[in-house]
Amino acid sequence: MWILMYVFSYSVSPAATNDRAEWRLLPNVVFQEFSTEERCNTAKSKLEGSLKEAGAKLRSGLEDLKSLGKADPAQVIIAFNVECVPK
């Protein structure tokens, strides 16, 4: 049995929002069991791709706002780690 574990977190600079509750969010940790290492690694690859794509879309949207003087992509930090580990 294999376990896919991923950790996802992000933080927003105080300059990007007036809501202090959104400045820092605690990491989310998710576990999913797989019967084989191959299935786990396939899911890992898809998940990493999806998280990278979502981050790129967010940064692109922030670039648009930056051009209007409203936001800066440097104000948002997105971090994630995806691992397959034997159970």
Side-chain angles (χ1 to χ4, degrees):
M1 190 68 69
W2 286 80
I3 305 292
L4 174 73
M5 176 190 77
Y6 71 92
V7 180
F8 177 81
S9 66
Y10 71 91
S11 64
V12 178
S13 166
T17 179
N18 290 329
D19 184 358
R20 290 178 178 253
E22 294 198 24
W23 289 2
R24 270 196 202 276
L25 296 178
L26 297 176
N28 293 303
V29 181
V30 179
F31 299 94
Q32 176 68 48
E33 289 188 356
F34 289 89
S35 57
T36 67
E37 182 179 11
E38 180 182 357
R39 292 179 120 183
C40 188
N41 284 326
T42 298
K44 175 185 174 185
S45 294
K46 288 183 179 181
L47 181 58
E48 285 175 327
S50 178
L51 292 172
K52 286 177 185 174
E53 183 179 327
K57 286 180 181 177
L58 175 60
R59 294 215 185 279
S60 174
L62 288 171
E63 285 290 347
D64 292 344
L65 290 173
K66 182 179 180 181
S67 68
L68 300 172
K70 300 290 184 186
D72 185 346
Q75 295 172 333
V76 177
I77 298 169
I78 301 169
F80 64 88
N81 186 41
V82 184
E83 296 293 333
C84 281
V85 295
K87 182 174 180 181

